[in-house]
Amino acid sequence: MDIATLQAYGYFFFTGFLVVVLYSYIYHLYSSQKKGIRDYEKYSNIALHDDITDPPIEEISKNDEIKR
Amino acid sequence: MDNRPLEYDYTIAKWFMLTTVVLGIVGMLVGVILAWQMAFPAVNTFAGEGLAEYTNFSRLRPLHTDAVIFGFTLSGIFATWYYIGQRVLKVSMAESRFLMFLGKLHFWLYLLLVAAVVVSLLLGITTSKEYAEFEWPIDIAVVVVWVIWGMGLFGLIGIRREKSLYISIWYYIATFLGIAMLYLFNNMAIPTYFVSGGIGAWYHSVSMYSGTNDALVQWWYGHNAVAFGFTVPIVAMIYYFLPKESGQAVYSYKLSLLAFWGLMFVYLWAGGHHLLFSTVPDWMQTMGSVFSVVLILPSWGSAINMLLTMKGEWQQVAASPLIKFMILASTFYMFSTLEGPIQAIKSVNALAHFTDWIVGHVHDGALGWVAFMIMAALFHMAPRVFKREIYSKSLMNTQFWVQTLGVVLYFTSMWIAGITQGMMWRAHDEFGNLAYSFIDTVSVLQPYFTIRAVGGTLYLVGMFLFAYNMYKTMTSSRRVEENELQNASPMGA
Amino acid sequence: MFHWLEKNPFFFAVAVFVVIAFAGLIEILPNFAQASRPVIGTKPYTTLELAGRHVYIKNSCNACHSQLIRPFKSETDRYGKYSLSGEYAYDRPFLWGSKRTGPDLMRVGNYRTTDWHENHMKNPVAVVPGSIMPAYRWMFKNTADIDTAFAEQLTIMKAFAVPYNTEIPMADGSKVTVALADTVEGARASALEEAKVITADMKDQAVKDAVAAGTIPEIVAIIAYMNSLK
């Protein structure tokens, strides 16, 4: 098994892996939006409400790990 | 700290806005000179026979590409970063002395670098690799400047108040990483002065790669320098400025996520399309072709997201020249990300490669998409950083139409020129001999070269209008209050 | 898990890097050893030829001239045999170019002479009516940088084992040795010898005088380089 064969396998499986990840990502995004688990679209507002006095869409807080 | 309310600090953004305008004019002026030289070779000695060495086409050509890429575009990227970065992370540069210092250092070193590049290219000190012409001392300085920017970038992210990174920030991070990786690998070289024990020019170096390998690395770099210089950071800009200026949230945040990861994965593979029918292995050429076509998807993902953001708000396009600039930019983005893959198809490439069609493609991307978006960004930023309204809306409109006409003349003439020349190169007569000598295929292009030069000149005129408008905005326009700056930028008649 | 990345800049950056570095790993690494093997008949540049190559680069000749013949009938008819990977084994950097405003120069040494180049570089239109190439008259005055060329030869011999002073087999079975001097003085002398051969075919008196007096104008070096392109 030379380096070229290894690379071919590596390429094949990594690409396959990324495709699976991408599609499950799409599924996850749209299903969790639909079920109301998480509203992704609110993050678009980061650009619209960006004055320094505007409250952040999601505050950085110390107890992140507990939240999820 | 005193009791003044916290404000965003745009000092460095302002400085980079200035270099964007100045270097934009320089780069495009050189480009226009080049265009006239191709149409009328006498222009090569416009500064006299004595200076011909420094004014002829071949010496100026790298200066044009580098001034536009690393002068105009990069300045625009930095200017918008120092503006958008603070806003979407909701943290001011004024909050950290260290980041402020890094930013200033970044700017001044960058300026020094620009000077060094201009001088060395005029003297003909070059490695010959396109968009990587600089010799090793400048390369090292480039790396230093880049690292300083990166420290500033991640530093600002580190002290942010907004937990989630906005779309634009992803693209800036990708720009930083992508260029760093590509630039380092492509510029690997050995300084000959040290290895040979002090013989010859101290700044000379020899590439670590030879022949076909060198070509592979170069076009892996060259193509992706376009990706991470002309696409990724410009997408970062439009994802912020179009929603902000129009007051519309991005049509789909989810789509932007998918387009981002798609673009990251696919773009790097497409470099091989610069080397079709060369001595690079076949499978790599095919891969380059295939991925170039796949690349349409993530590119259009972003572009369509932008156009849909304007859904139901199209009257704004007619009303605001600023939105017009951005919508035209994303239209040109769609257009040139469709044209690129077409040219990457092997049979089309056989015809198009080495011709002016490629030059046309680069310019509808660079002029129509990159420059339009950067100018729109600067127009949007100007009232906010100078606290004055944009000096003249009608001047903006004029500039828009003058430059649009310029781009259209440019790419149409180059299409015709490229396809004509490609067809003539391959034409055989009835006996199987070549139908045209090489010079026939050059002479036939003269009218198209002239049209192109006119197009380029129009665009440059637009740049001067832009510079004048910015200058007036900076110095003598009506002052505006904070509450006028929510969405649509205030403009004088 | 998925939204996590956009909140963690470090891992976000790592993910971006992995995804973009992947293509480079697969595409560029595997071919390195294979592509750099010279084909029979390819030999490294002499000092003067390399100095000429530097003149070629200094003036960005590659902005308008390619050095890559694609495997199409129209190209092989016009420029000669299509290019092979191994023929570029000693090209650092490669000079394929990306635009043919002028014709390909990969094998220009086969069909153009010293005399032709001399006239052409001085005034292209006089040789090729309608040419849009600028004249390169300063090459007749500027002195070629032999020292830097020699420094590069030493460097590539040390770093990449380029076979100077070694017998190299040619296509017809003969052997050729490309000599490399030990000292910079020796390199200057051998470059001057080469230059004299070139100037014997040239007409420009100032250039002839310069070479006779021991300095080599850029034009002589670049002609030596172009004559070597076969």
Side-chain angles (χ1 to χ4, degrees):
Chain A
M1 196 127 109
D2 60 352
I3 181 139
T5 328
L6 268 178
Q7 259 159 338
Y9 278 116
Y11 166 70
F12 185 81
F13 286 111
F14 191 66
T15 307
F17 169 73
L18 286 178
V19 168
V20 171
V21 169
L22 185 70
Y23 275 90
S24 52
Y25 196 8
I26 297 176
Y27 176 76
H28 162 82
L29 283 176
Y30 284 86
S31 70
S32 59
Q33 176 97 39
K34 203 168 210 165
K35 289 184 207 146
I37 299 172
R38 185 180 267 286
D39 177 19
Y40 282 101
E41 296 305 328
K42 74 177 180 199
Y43 296 111
S44 308
N45 293 327
I46 295 175
L48 295 181
H49 306 294
D50 63 346
D51 278 330
I52 195 112
T53 46
D54 288 332
I57 305 296
E58 254 179 16
E59 189 105 29
I60 290 219
S61 55
K62 293 282 166 260
N63 52 359
D64 272 341
E65 285 73 27
I66 306 158
K67 224 167 55 185
R68 78 157 92 193
Chain B
M1 254 201 151
D2 54 41
N3 286 330
R4 268 189 314 136
L6 188 59
E7 273 187 23
Y8 293 124
D9 190 321
Y10 297 130
T11 317
I12 298 162
K14 272 184 219 170
W15 293 353
F16 274 114
M17 283 168 77
L18 198 71
T19 56
T20 309
V21 178
V22 172
L23 293 171
I25 287 181
V26 171
M28 293 182 202
L29 177 67
V30 177
V32 168
I33 294 172
L34 294 174
W36 286 107
Q37 285 175 339
M38 289 187 79
F40 302 98
V43 182
N44 278 295
T45 51
F46 70 89
E49 186 65 39
L51 286 174
E53 178 172 1
Y54 309 104
T55 60
N56 94 33
F57 182 91
S58 64
R59 200 59 76 80
L60 288 181
R61 197 268 188 179
L63 193 61
H64 164 61
T65 49
D66 287 334
V68 170
I69 299 173
F70 300 113
F72 171 69
T73 309
L74 205 52
S75 283
I77 295 168
F78 291 148
T80 53
W81 159 254
Y82 283 110
Y83 178 88
I84 300 176
Q86 298 182 64
R87 297 192 68 108
V88 299
L89 297 169
K90 286 205 180 67
V91 56
S92 168
M93 292 283 285
E95 291 177 67
S96 164
R97 287 221 180 133
F98 176 63
L99 290 180
M100 202 62 195
F101 167 75
L102 276 185
K104 287 180 177 166
L105 189 66
H106 174 204
F107 176 79
W108 291 111
L109 283 179
Y110 170 80
L111 214 57
L112 271 180
L113 206 54
V114 169
V117 164
V118 170
V119 172
S120 73
L121 289 182
L122 279 177
L123 290 176
I125 299 170
T126 160
T127 64
S128 91
K129 288 186 166 193
E130 284 183 71
Y131 333 125
E133 282 95 349
F134 323 130
E135 274 293 1
W136 65 270
I138 296 183
D139 282 340
I140 291 175
V142 169
V143 172
V144 170
V145 169
W146 203 254
V147 168
I148 291 175
W149 179 50
M151 284 163 67
L153 188 147
F154 284 105
L156 199 66
I157 292 175
I159 59 168
R160 71 194 189 279
R161 292 208 176 76
E162 184 66 74
K163 190 165 167 53
S164 276
L165 304 179
Y166 184 63
I167 310 169
S168 301
I169 304 292
W170 316 338
Y171 282 94
Y172 282 113
I173 291 177
T175 305
F176 171 74
L177 288 173
I179 299 275
M181 173 183 81
L182 297 161
Y183 198 86
L184 275 179
F185 280 100
N186 188 38
N187 284 288
M188 287 293 169
I190 303 178
T192 58
Y193 183 80
F194 299 108
V195 178
S196 66
I199 300 172
W202 63 275
Y203 47 77
H204 184 71
S205 65
V206 58
S207 174
M208 291 264 268
Y209 320 109
S210 77
T212 305
N213 288 338
D214 200 33
L216 249 181
V217 178
Q218 160 62 25
W219 285 113
W220 172 72
Y221 165 84
H223 179 74
N224 297 310
V226 175
F228 290 94
F230 273 11
T231 306
V232 171
I234 316 297
V235 173
M237 292 177 204
I238 201 163
Y239 266 120
Y240 174 81
F241 288 111
L242 186 64
K244 187 69 185 170
E245 179 71 24
S246 66
Q248 299 291 302
V250 171
Y251 171 71
S252 167
Y253 181 87
K254 294 187 281 291
L255 181 57
S256 72
L257 264 174
L258 300 174
F260 174 79
W261 289 107
L263 194 74
M264 287 303 110
F265 177 67
V266 177
Y267 219 130
L268 273 285
W269 291 94
H273 68 220
H274 288 258
L275 300 168
L276 299 181
F277 301 108
S278 73
T279 60
V280 163
D282 264 345
W283 70 271
M284 222 177 288
Q285 301 183 17
T286 308
M287 198 87 104
S289 260
V290 170
F291 271 99
S292 301
V293 176
V294 177
L295 191 54
I296 297 176
L297 290 173
S299 306
W300 280 43
S302 286
I304 287 174
N305 212 350
M306 284 303 113
L307 295 180
L308 285 176
T309 298
M310 296 306 294
K311 200 170 67 171
E313 289 290 325
W314 286 99
Q315 80 282 358
Q316 288 199 29
V317 181
S320 162
L322 223 169
I323 303 234
K324 244 185 247 166
F325 270 103
M326 289 196 266
I327 290 301
L328 193 82
S330 62
T331 314
F332 265 108
Y333 179 52
M334 290 181 81
F335 170 62
S336 69
T337 49
L338 179 65
E339 186 187 24
I342 290 175
Q343 291 178 334
I345 296 168
K346 273 190 157 187
S347 51
V348 180
N349 191 270
L351 178 79
H353 194 54
F354 290 135
T355 72
D356 281 297
W357 190 7
I358 309 294
V359 180
H361 168 61
V362 174
H363 283 84
D364 54 52
L367 297 174
W369 154 241
V370 177
F372 266 48
M373 187 55 227
I374 290 178
M375 289 188 295
L378 261 58
F379 272 132
H380 176 93
M381 285 154 69
R384 283 138 184 111
V385 305
F386 299 121
K387 302 280 181 274
R388 291 172 187 272
E389 69 179 1
I390 295 172
Y391 173 66
S392 167
K393 182 178 175 181
S394 60
L395 204 57
M396 270 173 91
N397 266 321
T398 315
Q399 181 202 341
F400 176 83
W401 289 111
V402 167
Q403 293 194 317
T404 305
L405 181 64
V407 181
V408 171
L409 287 179
Y410 196 114
F411 75 77
T412 47
S413 61
M414 287 299 96
W415 277 4
I416 304 174
I419 294 172
T420 306
Q421 195 174 30
M423 295 303 278
M424 285 174 80
W425 281 344
R426 59 161 64 164
H428 283 89
D429 65 14
E430 58 206 292
F431 307 109
N433 300 316
L434 291 170
Y436 300 99
S437 70
F438 193 89
I439 191 65
D440 296 336
T441 72
V442 176
S443 305
V444 74
L445 302 181
Q446 209 277 341
Y448 309 112
F449 284 159
T450 310
I451 296 172
R452 183 256 301 265
V454 171
T457 308
L458 283 177
Y459 203 90
L460 183 67
V461 168
M463 281 303 283
F464 280 111
L465 295 180
F466 172 61
Y468 176 74
N469 211 349
M470 289 301 276
Y471 172 74
K472 289 301 248 185
T473 303
M474 208 167 91
T475 53
S476 58
S477 202
R478 180 180 67 86
R479 291 197 173 273
V480 291
E481 296 300 320
E482 201 58 43
N483 59 11
E484 291 179 73
L485 297 172
Q486 264 315 308
N487 293 122
S489 303
M491 301 171 197
Chain C
M1 174 259 170
F2 279 112
H3 191 61
W4 180 76
L5 275 181
E6 288 99 73
K7 292 176 183 171
N8 290 278
F10 174 75
F11 291 102
F12 183 85
V14 171
V16 170
F17 187 77
V18 168
V19 172
I20 61 181
F22 178 52
L25 272 178
I26 297 292
E27 271 193 321
I28 296 180
L29 282 185
N31 203 37
F32 259 28
Q34 215 181 0
S36 55
R37 238 173 263 144
V39 295
I40 300 291
T42 307
K43 50 183 197 292
Y45 296 104
T46 67
T47 312
L48 187 65
E49 287 163 7
L50 197 58
R53 198 165 192 270
H54 291 166
V55 178
Y56 188 97
I57 291 172
K58 180 181 172 189
N59 289 288
S60 294
C61 301
N62 53 299
C64 294
H65 294 280
S66 58
Q67 287 190 25
L68 176 75
I69 303 168
R70 296 179 294 170
F72 308 144
K73 182 172 185 303
S74 58
E75 300 225 340
T76 51
D77 281 1
R78 202 182 288 278
Y79 306 116
K81 198 169 94 65
Y82 59 82
S83 309
L84 299 175
S85 183
E87 292 182 278
Y88 300 109
Y90 304 120
D91 279 10
R92 290 170 196 270
F94 79 110
L95 291 173
W96 294 2
S98 57
K99 175 81 206 305
R100 262 183 208 153
T101 305
D104 189 276
L105 300 179
M106 171 102 193
R107 304 189 197 285
V108 70
N110 284 339
Y111 48 89
R112 297 286 186 238
T113 59
T114 301
D115 182 51
W116 191 92
H117 286 306
E118 183 187 5
N119 294 328
H120 187 247
M121 296 302 270
K122 214 175 235 176
N123 189 9
V125 195
V127 182
V128 185
S131 170
I132 59 169
M133 176 166 145
Y136 286 80
R137 296 192 189 100
W138 58 87
M139 284 186 189
F140 291 77
K141 299 193 188 83
N142 292 357
T143 307
D145 189 349
I146 303 297
D147 291 12
T148 302
F150 176 63
E152 183 174 320
Q153 286 180 304
L154 277 184
T155 307
I156 54 179
M157 190 166 76
K158 277 186 200 163
F160 309 114
V162 170
Y164 284 112
N165 298 328
T166 310
E167 284 196 331
I168 300 164
M170 291 287 113
D172 58 6
S174 64
K175 305 246 182 202
V176 172
T177 306
V178 180
L180 181 62
D182 298 329
T183 60
V184 67
E185 289 77 19
R188 285 179 200 150
S190 73
L192 198 61
E193 285 312 307
E194 277 184 78
K196 281 177 181 156
V197 178
I198 305 278
T199 44
D201 295 332
M202 290 179 71
K203 289 193 289 288
D204 191 295
Q205 199 53 45
V207 170
K208 282 172 174 288
D209 292 347
V211 172
T215 56
I216 304 172
E218 287 184 333
I219 185 74
V220 180
I222 197 168
I223 290 178
Y225 170 60
M226 284 196 283
N227 286 345
S228 80
L229 295 174
K230 284 178 177 169

